[in-house]
Amino acid sequence: DRDGDRGNDRGRGNDRDRDEDRSPARRLSLDEAVAQAERRYKARAVRAEEKRHGDRIEYRIRLLGDDGRVFEVRIDAATGRES
């Protein structure tokens, strides 16, 4: 039925999306990484910078939490995952 077909397509689409995230042509921008970190931690970014390690790009984002705590997260630009 149609619902079953949609479910199967969704699974395959997720694999394609993950592959596209890893391609150098489509990497997460610094602004996107900041928005992602602010949403995930419900905090406000106070500093963000791009660091290059060879061909790998990592974003370092310093956040200020509601409790006043300052902490840093690192996000891989190619995957969008914390590193």
Side-chain angles (χ1 to χ4, degrees), residues 20-36:
E20 288 172 5
D21 286 347
R22 283 185 228 130
S23 80
R26 173 61 185 128
R27 68 177 175 95
L28 199 64
S29 73
L30 181 58
D31 287 339
E32 290 169 327
V34 166
Q36 174 182 309

Side-chain angles (χ1 to χ4, degrees), residues 11-24:
R12 286 191 303 272
N14 287 341
D15 290 341
R16 271 194 306 273
D17 292 343
R18 279 191 292 266
D19 291 341
E20 288 172 5
D21 286 347
R22 283 185 228 130
S23 80

Side-chain angles (χ1 to χ4, degrees), residues 21 23 26-29 33 50 56-59 75-81:
D21 286 347
S23 80
R26 173 61 185 128
R27 68 177 175 95
L28 199 64
S29 73
E50 180 180 293
R56 193 173 139 257
I57 299 171
E58 175 185 79
Y59 299 130
I75 298 177
D76 186 291
T79 65
R81 295 188 182 125

Side-chain angles (χ1 to χ4, degrees), residues 4 9 11-12 20 23 25 33 36 42 44-45 64 70 78 83:
D9 289 341
R12 286 191 303 272
E20 288 172 5
S23 80
Q36 174 182 309
K42 296 178 176 50
R44 186 172 60 100
L64 174 64
V70 175
S83 53

